[in-house]
DNA sequence: TATACTTATGATATCGTTATCATATATTAT
DNA sequence: ATAATATATGATAACGATATCATAAGTATA
């Protein structure tokens, strides 16, 4: 509708060269007070809005960071988006969120799209720990890359995560202490690095107790709440069902709770539950859920720190950091003593 | 690290002009099969990645839409982000999410930033129904603008919302039918257009019943769960407290549930509850919550439709649409007959 | 054979900025 | 007074792509 107002338009109206107008608007170089005011006045009058794209062309920075994430509806990730945003926006960065539905092709496409849009930084929670050449490529391109939550092995790239194996081991110890010997594990895809680590902790905890692990106690499913529901139904339908279960994330937890409700399994009487991730409503439901809480604020802080240091500092930082944070077990009422058989 | 590969680099290596190389890469004009292959081969070899910013300079489109939203952690909004994303990404659009913390200054800054980044479209859930000159400006600039959830009056801009007043009236009718006469209303800021409409429905329902409304039954608070908690405590502490309450959104609901739990008010025995917004876990808690469900899929579809028609069609569309959708009342166990006094 | 297309290609302008260069005047130091 | 510096300004060249224009050769039509 309205034609775009450029620096040249303002310069013309103010009777100066566009170089001078640009000096005023950009606040650099020498400009006489008289012309400065003339330009500023015209810019205001004509409703000048700087053209960030054109600026990016010149100095090669877009002041934009991309966030490639499996599912923005997962409160864990929307919390990250919120918190990281709050930490980078004071530095004038805007965030582009690319949702992949936990699908590798979409993730690859997302990274490619964001790189082509010249983001200054890229935060990725990769959906695969096998296929990560696109991530390496992004890193090699000179873009600041930080991995979060899910960190494939042997990838020398800045990353932030929690000690997943230890988190599960602690949860398992809690269950063992309550007398549980048949503990189930409900998780989505093992392509996801954090799930691998969580399962590893699960296995190791069994080994430490010198207990043999029935493979049927491990249920791997899709990533939605509905998948979690189906996995839970299948777990709970077994004749040899577990007396306690650990869910690998909050979607699995919701799925499990829905299934337990439908199948009339009371928690913790019929089955104990520990959930990875901590949500507001976990303390609202009956029983309140025992959870493995991640340090959400800290994770965001570390991601922002690692990202900003590469985006803002001109020298290349050779050394990468793999930040591993501790979780905490919040014991509520969803875990109880195992009934003696 | 790696130097950026440009069309000119490829052209040089392939022994053609950059115009020809651009024709090949852009897939337009006439190019001999021989040179086409040479260029394609070099592009692959050298790892060419198109420079979307430079492209945008030329044809004035960024294939990016901005979403300005109060709080991405609110599941209602993260669902919109997810669904709208799914509908625009097939048309090669990427989304920039700008979170404002329900703060007008941040919203203005967000709109300004996104316009300066030349987004092709802008989705806004404005946090104020008074101060919207930045929205008008965005619209006048020629950018496709769609308002969602919150639509200030007398703004001739495409918008999608639900019939908020009717939604509340239906909920109120349900409570009146159960014998409730003192119904409370818990909401965040009335600057938010949808809250105004919801309160309007609340007031009208009282009038229709020829009941006088005690102003203390209306509690307006901040927008976080904690604010909702505090508002609820204050509501429940009154000697003349309501026998039923309607919460204006899911954050208020969570706050109310936490307060009711802490203050040992049983639902629905001590107080009935109807919540605006429908979440997974509302059917999981005890009691399952009666809710006003919004047609989330439909809202996203309409937003995407309105946005795409303006972004894709070259002719200017003069006529704007204000899409108003219906909600549905999902009755569960959080509402019960009022005790006779 | 002359005329009109179609095919193929490279030069060059353009998008809106910023930044460098060259030049000119004013001011200060010697 | 002369040289050296500070101030002020406009022309011009980038940034990386696309698109137009001009030109030239090949092919088909009359």
């Amino acid at each position: 509708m309205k034609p775009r107002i450029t620096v040249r338009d303002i310069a013309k109206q103010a009777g100066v060269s566009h170089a001078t107008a640009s000096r005023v608007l950009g606040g650099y170089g020498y400009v006489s007070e008289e012309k400065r005011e003339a330009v500023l006045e015209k810019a205001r009058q004509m409703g000048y809005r700087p053209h960030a794209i054109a600026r990016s062309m010149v100095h090669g920075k877009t002041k934009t960071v991309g966030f490639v994430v499996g599912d923005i509806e997962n409160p864990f990730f929307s919390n990250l988006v919120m918190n990281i945003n709050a930490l980078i926006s004071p530095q004038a960065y805007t965030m582009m969120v690319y949702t992949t539905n936990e699908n590798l092709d979409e993730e690859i496409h997302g990274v490619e799209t964001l790189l082509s849009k010249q983001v200054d930084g890229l935060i990725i929670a990769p959906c695969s720990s096998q296929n990560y050449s696109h991530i390496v490529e992004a890193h090699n391109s000179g873009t600041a890359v930080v991995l979060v939550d899910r960190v494939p092995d042997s990838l020398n790239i800045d990353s932030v995560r929690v000690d997943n194996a230890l988190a599960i081991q602690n949860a398992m110890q809690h269950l063992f202490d309550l007398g549980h010997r048949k503990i189930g594990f409900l998780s989505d895809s093992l392509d996801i690095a954090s799930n691998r680590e969580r399962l590893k902790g699960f296995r190791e905890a069994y080994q430490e107790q010198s207990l043999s692990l029935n493979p049927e106690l491990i249920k791997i499913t899709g990533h939605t709440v509905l998948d979690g529901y189906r996995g839970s139904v299948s777990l709970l339908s077994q004749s040899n069902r577990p007396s306690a279960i650990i869910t690998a994330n909050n979607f699995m937890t919701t799925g499990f709770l829905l299934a337990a409700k439908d199948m009339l399994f009371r928690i913790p009487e019929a089955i104990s539950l520990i959930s990875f991730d901590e949500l507001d409503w976990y303390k609202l439901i009956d029983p309140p859920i025992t959870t493995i809480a991640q340090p959400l604020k800290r994770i965001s802080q570390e991601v922002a720190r690692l990202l900003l240091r590469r985006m803002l500092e001109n020298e290349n930082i050779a050394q990468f950091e793999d930040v591993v944070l501790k979780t905490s077990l919040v014991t509520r009422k969803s875990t109880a003593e195992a009934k003696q058989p």
Side-chain angles (χ1 to χ4, degrees), chain A:
Chain A
M1 201 117 274
K2 261 205 309 201
R4 142 162 296 292
I5 308 295
T6 72
V7 175
R8 286 186 144 87
D9 298 328
I10 293 170
K12 194 175 292 175
Q13 290 295 313
V16 298
S17 73
H18 77 276
T20 298
S22 185
R23 270 187 279 259
V24 174
L25 268 9
Y28 65 100
Y30 292 114
V31 185
S32 67
E33 196 49 41
E34 176 199 17
K35 305 214 164 175
R36 147 164 288 111
E37 273 167 24
V39 169
L40 251 25
E41 172 59 18
K42 286 292 171 196
R44 210 175 313 115
Q45 264 179 37
M46 304 171 72
Y48 171 71
R49 172 177 303 119
H51 193 295
I53 295 292
R55 279 189 175 161
S56 299
M57 279 301 290
V58 177
H59 48 241
K61 297 257 166 283
T62 53
K63 283 288 177 178
T64 304
V65 323
F67 196 163
V68 179
V69 68
D71 188 342
I72 185 72
E73 283 196 83
N74 185 326
F76 173 71
F77 288 120
S78 62
N79 181 275
L80 286 188
V81 168
M82 191 76 174
N83 283 326
I84 296 172
N85 228 328
L87 293 167
I88 63 174
S89 73
Q91 309 289 335
Y93 288 98
T94 314
M95 191 181 277
M96 275 179 102
V97 177
Y98 201 101
T99 319
T100 69
N101 295 305
E102 303 290 6
N103 175 65
L104 180 61
D105 289 337
E106 288 193 51
E107 179 178 307
I108 293 170
H109 185 253
V111 169
E112 204 54 41
T113 303
L114 292 169
L115 287 180
S116 131
K117 295 195 181 213
Q118 311 297 117
V119 292
D120 296 340
L122 208 41
I123 307 165
I124 315 179
C127 69
S128 167
S129 42
Q130 319 287 340
N131 200 317
Y132 45 69
S133 56
H134 54 299
I135 298 174
V136 174
E137 204 192 325
H139 181 247
N140 288 340
S141 79
T143 309
V145 177
V146 178
L147 305 179
V148 65
D149 185 53
R150 308 156 174 194
V151 185
D153 291 334
S154 68
L155 210 48
N156 296 348
I157 293 180
D158 286 339
S159 46
V160 183
R161 53 174 151 178
V162 296
D163 191 335
N164 287 298
L166 183 61
I168 295 290
Q169 281 171 17
N170 290 342
M172 294 288 279
Q173 191 57 55
H174 178 62
L175 292 172
F176 285 135
D177 290 348
L178 288 167
H180 293 278
R181 292 297 174 268
K182 277 198 304 189
I183 304 171
F185 185 74
L186 176 65
S187 170
D188 54 342
S189 168
L190 293 181
D191 274 353
I192 295 173
S194 52
N195 288 341
R196 293 184 111 98
E197 293 171 9
R198 288 169 197 180
L199 179 58
K200 184 160 160 277
F202 179 77
R203 287 212 151 94
E204 283 169 355
Y206 258 99
Q207 278 169 11
E208 271 172 30
Q209 297 290 323
S210 308
L211 287 170
S212 72
L213 166 57
N214 178 352
E216 288 188 358
L217 290 174
I218 299 171
K219 190 75 201 175
I220 307 302
T221 175
H223 93 281
T224 66
V225 169
L226 184 57
D227 293 322
Y229 176 88
R230 289 181 180 142
S232 303
V233 168
S234 142
L235 257 178
L236 292 172
S237 304
Q238 296 172 200
S239 57
N240 192 30
R241 75 178 71 88
S243 68
I245 191 165
I246 297 184
T247 52
N249 66 55
N250 69 77
F251 275 12
M252 294 298 106
T253 306
T254 302
F256 176 79
L257 290 170
L258 289 166
K261 190 176 186 76
D262 282 359
M263 296 174 77
L264 305 175
F265 276 88
R266 293 193 44 116
I267 303 170
E269 292 81 357
I271 186 163
S272 285
L273 167 67
I274 298 182
S275 165
F276 219 106
D277 293 341
E278 161 82 338
L279 302 184
D280 265 346
W281 57 271
Y282 282 173
K283 50 175 158 316
L284 281 175
I285 73 173
D286 187 37
I289 307 294
T290 295
T291 62
I292 299 165
Q294 304 198 49
L296 293 171
K297 279 256 168 64
R298 275 297 303 284
I299 295 175
S300 294
Q301 282 165 4
E302 294 297 316
V303 170
R305 179 178 66 79
L306 292 174
L307 203 63
L308 287 171
R309 69 169 189 163
R310 285 196 195 269
M311 293 195 300
L312 297 176
E313 290 178 30
N314 9 19
E315 347 114 46
N316 266 15
I317 302 161
Q319 196 56 40
F320 78 98
E321 276 188 51
D322 178 23
V323 178
V324 179
L325 301 169
K326 291 270 171 294
T327 58
S328 56
L329 188 67
V330 183
T331 49
R332 298 205 180 89
K333 304 289 185 203
S334 67
T335 43
E337 296 232 337
K339 286 193 211 92
Q340 291 315 314

